[in-house]
Every structure is written in structure tokens, then in C-alpha cells.
Amino acid sequence: MPRPRALLLGLGLPLLACDSKAVEAQKTRVQALEDRVHRLEAETAALTARMKSFDEERRRLEQIAKLPSLPPASTNAPPTSVVVEVRADGLRVGDEAVDLDRFEALLRERLGAQPGLSLLVKADASVEYARVIEVMDRAKTAGVAKIAMVADPALKP
């Protein structure tokens, strides 16, 4: 039997060779290890790129966190909307009972002081639809651009 001799392949691993089959098997194992190293290097590069992306996102979020905060909302700020109640016995804006002409004038006054004011319309179920539309038309004539209907969830049919 011949004496084994040490061979160095690829990664510097010693190779003890007694016959050609053993040498080929060792070369195959070395090649598999080299392939695995290449795959791990590629995965490492992909993870490094992801970490770089995360670092950039972290820096961006830190910049956002440094933005000045808004001042606290003032509790005495004027309301941004007017609520009108359309009832069978007439119109009410807050505690004030108004007719259509006074309602329109009131809206004009408030819009003059606060442009962009919106109108919230609450109507009793007993009020005719045409009456609600008439109130909404007067609001449009007064210059109100945003009108919304308000429903009372307690008044389910």
C-alpha cells in the first residue's frame, strides 16, 4: 500500500490521497464548500445592502422626529362649523330661533369673520325633505361651500 501524501487544494485543506477515487471525493467536498462560501458571501452582501437601506430609513425618520411640533390647539378658537337644526316648529342655530332670512344673514356674518366655515344640518324626521333642501339652498346662497347632514344614531327607524 502506498504511503499517503498531503495535498493542498482550494481552501488550503490538507488532502490525504491514497487513490484517485478518494482524491476525487475530496475535490468534490472542497468544491461544495467553496460553493457554500460563495453563497454565504452573496447573502452577506444582500444583508449588508438591506442594513444600509434600514440605516437610511432610520436617518430619515430621525430627521422627521426633529421637525418642530405644532403649537397646542387653542381652546378659545372659533368653531369651524355652524349647526342648524331644522325642526317642525322652525330653525335653530345654537340657542337662537331664526327664520330663513335671518339664517342666511347670520351665515353671511359668520363667513365674513371666518371664511371656509361649514354647515352641519340636523333635521327632525317630521320635517319635509323640501324644507331641508330649502335651508341648504339658502346656505349655498350665503356662500357656504361645505354642507353636511348630521344623523342622530338614537333615532333609528
Side-chain angles (χ1 to χ4, degrees):
M1 179 174 219
R3 288 183 69 179
R5 61 182 199 262
L7 300 174
L8 296 176
L9 293 176
L11 297 174
L13 299 174
L15 176 67
L16 299 176
C18 294
D19 61 25
S20 63
K21 286 184 184 179
V23 169
E24 287 303 314
Q26 190 69 13
K27 284 182 182 178
T28 303
R29 283 192 291 270
V30 168
Q31 184 61 46
L33 286 172
E34 288 175 346
D35 290 344
R36 186 170 181 202
V37 166
H38 291 299
R39 282 192 309 273
L40 289 173
E41 287 173 344
E43 288 177 18
T44 301
L47 289 172
T48 301
R50 285 185 67 194
M51 285 177 55
K52 182 180 176 183
S53 172
F54 287 143
D55 283 342
E56 290 169 359
E57 181 69 8
R58 180 185 50 78
R59 281 191 292 277
R60 187 184 71 79
L61 291 173
E62 286 173 350
Q63 290 298 320
I64 291 172
K66 291 179 185 176
L67 292 175
S69 60
L70 294 175
S74 174
T75 56
N76 57 2
T80 58
S81 61
V82 173
V83 178
V84 61
E85 293 182 56
V86 184
R87 300 178 176 179
D89 62 344
L91 301 178
R92 294 192 73 72
V93 176
D95 292 333
E96 183 181 352
V98 295
D99 62 7
L100 277 175
D101 292 331
R102 173 67 185 129
F103 170 66
E104 188 175 337
L106 182 70
L107 287 178
R108 287 182 196 278
E109 290 170 16
R110 292 197 183 174
L111 281 167
Q114 190 177 1
L117 196 67
S118 61
L119 178 69
L120 302 176
V121 180
K122 292 172 76 173
D124 281 348
S126 62
V127 175
E128 292 184 17
Y129 185 73
R131 177 75 170 151
V132 175
I133 296 300
E134 184 179 19
V135 169
M136 293 170 68
D137 284 343
R138 285 292 189 103
K140 283 286 188 186
T141 302
V144 176
K146 297 178 187 175
I147 300 174
M149 298 293 293
V150 179
D152 186 356
L155 300 176
K156 292 182 181 177

